[in-house]
Amino acid sequence: MSKLEEFRTFREKMNERILSAENLAIRRFFALDSRVYENGALDSKTKELLGLVASLVLRCDDCITYHVVRCLEEGVTDEEAFEAFSVGLVVGGSIVIPHLRRAVATLDQLRA
Amino acid sequence: MSKLEEFRTFREKMNERILSAENLAIRRFFALDSRVYENGALDSKTKELLGLVASLVLRCDDCITYHVVRCLEEGVTDEEAFEAFSVGLVVGGSIVIPHLRRAVATLDQLRA
Amino acid sequence: MSKLEEFRTFREKMNERILSAENLAIRRFFALDSRVYENGALDSKTKELLGLVASLVLRCDDCITYHVVRCLEEGVTDEEAFEAFSVGLVVGGSIVIPHLRRAVATLDQLRA
Amino acid sequence: MSKLEEFRTFREKMNERILSAENLAIRRFFALDSRVYENGALDSKTKELLGLVASLVLRCDDCITYHVVRCLEEGVTDEEAFEAFSVGLVVGGSIVIPHLRRAVATLDQLRA
Amino acid sequence: MSKLEEFRTFREKMNERILSAENLAIRRFFALDSRVYENGALDSKTKELLGLVASLVLRCDDCITYHVVRCLEEGVTDEEAFEAFSVGLVVGGSIVIPHLRRAVATLDQLRA
Amino acid sequence: MSKLEEFRTFREKMNERILSAENLAIRRFFALDSRVYENGALDSKTKELLGLVASLVLRCDDCITYHVVRCLEEGVTDEEAFEAFSVGLVVGGSIVIPHLRRAVATLDQLRA
């Protein structure tokens, strides 16, 4: 199983487990976390790019993987992705680089 | 002098002072920091929104102020700005709220 | 107007302004942010202490002020507050100290 | 060897190695890091919950694992743990979610 | 009273207040925080530069002010300070810039 | 292949991939990231220690590994490394400890 597949399986399994816990605040947060990227005044593509750069500067690998997957689904090109990466890199500094390496590896794996 | 004007004056004065220090790495970083928001595969408006959300989740008030100013210059509407804010809020959590308050105050001051 | 009063006035005014913006995601987040500190399996006092320490290690002065106010309303003693501070200090390190100074100043102002 | 066991073995081995290095400041910090969770005005259970939420919002997986283990030893129930998680999630935002997934996986593994 | 003088006065007053609270863990942390910058295998000047860059990338203005003061006392030149700043800027990214502006303003005020 | 070797191989491969992407801002950032640690008013050894402590407090394992390798190349002794670690630990708090464990494991592996 590839790393990407492992991530998806674990993510799905644990999301189900967490939502089964009957904690209303957590459930509502999860619902909100989906809703916020839906089409609105800004389209989903732009919002996924916002989520990607936010995840990059906060250096959350799983979040980056998720938003790279979603960005490609929304039709983001490699050139657009790298420009988003460049904003994240300049805002967040060299500590972003290890996460950038993994983001690009995920991007290449998804394109392959 | 309003807070916004104070920010602009101090920012301009200190940028000049810093760039006069003849530290090549810092000068290059400042040049890069301008360049990265220029039109490319993604347009300036989208990039400024990326910079805004990155600043929001990293909770940097001066950076937020700068990008709110730039977003309005790029024609971002209030509805678009609030959707960008909502992504930043959900990604970054309730600790973003005090910065959101100041961001909206800046937005209102600029519109007035 | 004291700093504490300024904080309360600005907080209330901007919360109203933000909630008037008709952004559903932001409204729901604000509702969730209140709900999460309500009595449940853990009581409000414990949850406010959790919010206080989380705010301290994330170094959000306005959040710290808010939770110090709420902790005192929930009957937290000075000795309990300082033990919560000590956990935040050891987890978050010396960069927490400037925020600890302001937290204690707020505590003293509220007791006075 | 399970991930949890790997964590314990590596943690114990490296703590010994670090404390053998004769760096007094590091030794004192480690002593302080134990002391701060001891019973006092706040009991150990509350302090471990504080440590758990602080670790969650700072997104430190090893710290979360350690405090989940300690919380269960102090008699924290699943419902209490999830309420602590919900505070961490709302304060820290969606970037906490990947860590929450691993925290719940650890909790389930310890209960099994 | 200048901002720098205000910082010193508040810092001294609140440190006294905090240390008077009879919380042993906090007292020990404060003692450790002084000790760690003393001459050892690395000299105080190098350690203060380490403290300065750590404060810069963590974006703690009061910590930066303190270490700029201490660096100058240890004989750090402007050229050395700017090279330390450049490391902090590249590691921490453009969100460091507002703190860099204030750090340089403090440096200039201390030299004047 | 050891973890250290894996890190080096992945780092080199992905750096090449990223620099081949023809994104000028990213290329310039990478160039700047090398330049900033070169001998100047501060020598490379001091600058690598600055990079190490910055990486430690920002809790970036790959960055820490890189700077531990470079510090040893610059002749940093174990005693000096542990003093740098102690500064990072006190500034950044107990959440630094898991990264400290891995840093010391890397140091030991490189010395072996």
Side-chain angles (χ1 to χ4, degrees), chain A residues 1-110:
Chain A
M1 189 156 56
S2 75
K3 271 200 159 179
L4 198 55
E5 201 48 51
E6 242 179 79
F7 161 72
R8 279 169 172 152
T9 307
F10 182 73
R11 182 176 181 278
E12 193 175 338
K13 178 183 139 198
M14 292 314 300
N15 280 7
E16 268 179 47
R17 162 68 182 94
I18 289 168
L19 295 175
S20 77
E22 313 241 339
N23 181 297
L24 195 57
I26 293 179
R27 284 179 173 191
R28 288 194 178 162
F29 191 96
F30 274 62
L32 198 51
D33 186 33
S34 300
R35 183 181 191 87
V36 90
Y37 298 101
E38 286 171 9
N39 275 309
L42 298 173
D43 58 18
S44 279
K45 180 183 159 185
T46 303
K47 286 176 167 180
E48 287 298 338
L49 286 167
L50 295 176
L52 176 61
V53 172
S55 302
L56 204 59
V57 299
L58 290 172
R59 300 182 287 130
C60 172
D61 281 327
D62 282 2
C63 313
I64 295 169
T65 297
Y66 176 78
H67 288 294
V68 167
V69 170
R70 287 287 301 116
C71 278
L72 297 208
E73 288 171 1
E74 294 293 335
V76 169
T77 66
D78 279 14
E79 210 182 342
E80 289 171 330
F82 271 83
E83 292 198 4
F85 292 156
S86 74
V87 172
L89 180 59
V90 168
V91 173
S94 67
I95 44 154
V96 166
I97 293 178
H99 305 274
L100 176 59
R101 285 187 199 114
R102 291 188 282 269
V104 173
T106 299
L107 184 78
D108 287 351
Q109 197 180 338
L110 288 163

Side-chain angles (χ1 to χ4, degrees), chain B residues 15-109:
Chain B
N15 281 7
E16 268 179 47
R17 162 66 182 95
I18 289 168
L19 295 175
S20 77
E22 313 241 339
N23 181 298
L24 194 58
I26 293 180
R27 285 180 172 190
R28 288 193 178 163
F29 191 96
F30 273 62
L32 198 50
D33 186 34
S34 299
R35 181 181 192 87
V36 89
Y37 298 101
E38 287 172 7
N39 276 309
L42 298 172
D43 57 19
S44 278
K45 181 185 158 185
T46 303
K47 286 177 167 180
E48 288 296 339
L49 287 167
L50 295 177
L52 176 60
V53 172
S55 302
L56 204 58
V57 298
L58 290 172
R59 301 182 288 128
C60 172
D61 281 328
D62 281 3
C63 313
I64 294 169
T65 297
Y66 176 79
H67 288 294
V68 168
V69 170
R70 286 287 301 116
C71 279
L72 297 208
E73 287 172 1
E74 294 293 336
V76 169
T77 67
D78 279 14
E79 211 183 340
E80 289 171 330
F82 272 83
E83 292 198 4
F85 292 156
S86 74
V87 172
L89 180 59
V90 169
V91 173
S94 68
I95 44 154
V96 165
I97 292 177
H99 305 273
L100 177 60
R101 287 188 197 112
R102 292 188 281 270
V104 174
T106 300
L107 184 77
D108 288 350
Q109 197 179 337

Side-chain angles (χ1 to χ4, degrees), chain D residues 36-77:
Chain D
V36 89
Y37 298 101
E38 287 172 9
N39 275 308
L42 298 171
D43 57 19
S44 279
K45 181 184 157 184
T46 302
K47 287 177 167 180
E48 287 297 338
L49 286 167
L50 295 176
L52 177 60
V53 172
S55 303
L56 204 58
V57 299
L58 290 172
R59 301 181 289 130
C60 172
D61 281 328
D62 281 3
C63 312
I64 295 169
T65 298
Y66 176 78
H67 287 295
V68 168
V69 170
R70 286 288 300 116
C71 278
L72 297 208
E73 287 171 1
E74 295 292 335
V76 169
T77 67

Side-chain angles (χ1 to χ4, degrees), chain A residues 59 78 82-83 85-86 89 93-95 97-98 100-102 104-105 108, chain F residues 10-11 14-15 17-18 21 23 25-26 29-30 33 58-60 62-63:
Chain A
R59 300 182 287 130
D78 279 14
F82 271 83
E83 292 198 4
F85 292 156
S86 74
L89 180 59
S94 67
I95 44 154
I97 293 178
L100 176 59
R101 285 187 199 114
R102 291 188 282 269
V104 173
D108 287 351
Chain F
F10 183 73
R11 183 177 180 278
M14 292 314 300
N15 281 7
R17 163 67 182 95
I18 289 167
N23 182 297
I26 294 180
F29 191 96
F30 273 62
D33 186 34
L58 290 171
R59 300 181 288 130
C60 172
D62 282 3
C63 312

Side-chain angles (χ1 to χ4, degrees), chain E residues 28-41:
Chain E
R28 287 193 178 162
F29 190 95
F30 273 63
L32 198 50
D33 186 34
S34 300
R35 181 182 192 88
V36 90
Y37 298 101
E38 286 171 9
N39 276 308

Side-chain angles (χ1 to χ4, degrees), chain C residues 31-50:
Chain C
L32 198 50
D33 185 34
S34 300
R35 183 182 190 88
V36 89
Y37 298 101
E38 286 171 9
N39 275 308
L42 298 172
D43 57 19
S44 279
K45 181 184 158 184
T46 302
K47 286 176 167 180
E48 287 297 338
L49 286 167
L50 295 176

Side-chain angles (χ1 to χ4, degrees), chain E residues 8-98:
Chain E
R8 277 169 173 153
T9 307
F10 183 72
R11 182 177 180 278
E12 193 176 338
K13 178 182 138 198
M14 292 313 301
N15 280 7
E16 268 179 47
R17 163 65 182 95
I18 289 167
L19 294 175
S20 78
E22 313 241 339
N23 181 297
L24 195 57
I26 294 180
R27 285 181 173 190
R28 287 193 178 162
F29 190 95
F30 273 63
L32 198 50
D33 186 34
S34 300
R35 181 182 192 88
V36 90
Y37 298 101
E38 286 171 9
N39 276 308
L42 298 172
D43 57 20
S44 279
K45 182 185 158 184
T46 302
K47 287 177 167 180
E48 288 297 338
L49 287 167
L50 295 176
L52 176 60
V53 172
S55 302
L56 205 58
V57 298
L58 290 171
R59 301 182 288 132
C60 172
D61 280 328
D62 281 3
C63 312
I64 294 169
T65 298
Y66 176 78
H67 287 295
V68 168
V69 170
R70 287 287 300 116
C71 278
L72 297 208
E73 287 172 2
E74 294 293 335
V76 169
T77 67
D78 278 14
E79 210 183 341
E80 289 171 331
F82 271 83
E83 292 198 3
F85 291 156
S86 74
V87 172
L89 180 60
V90 168
V91 173
S94 68
I95 43 153
V96 165
I97 292 177

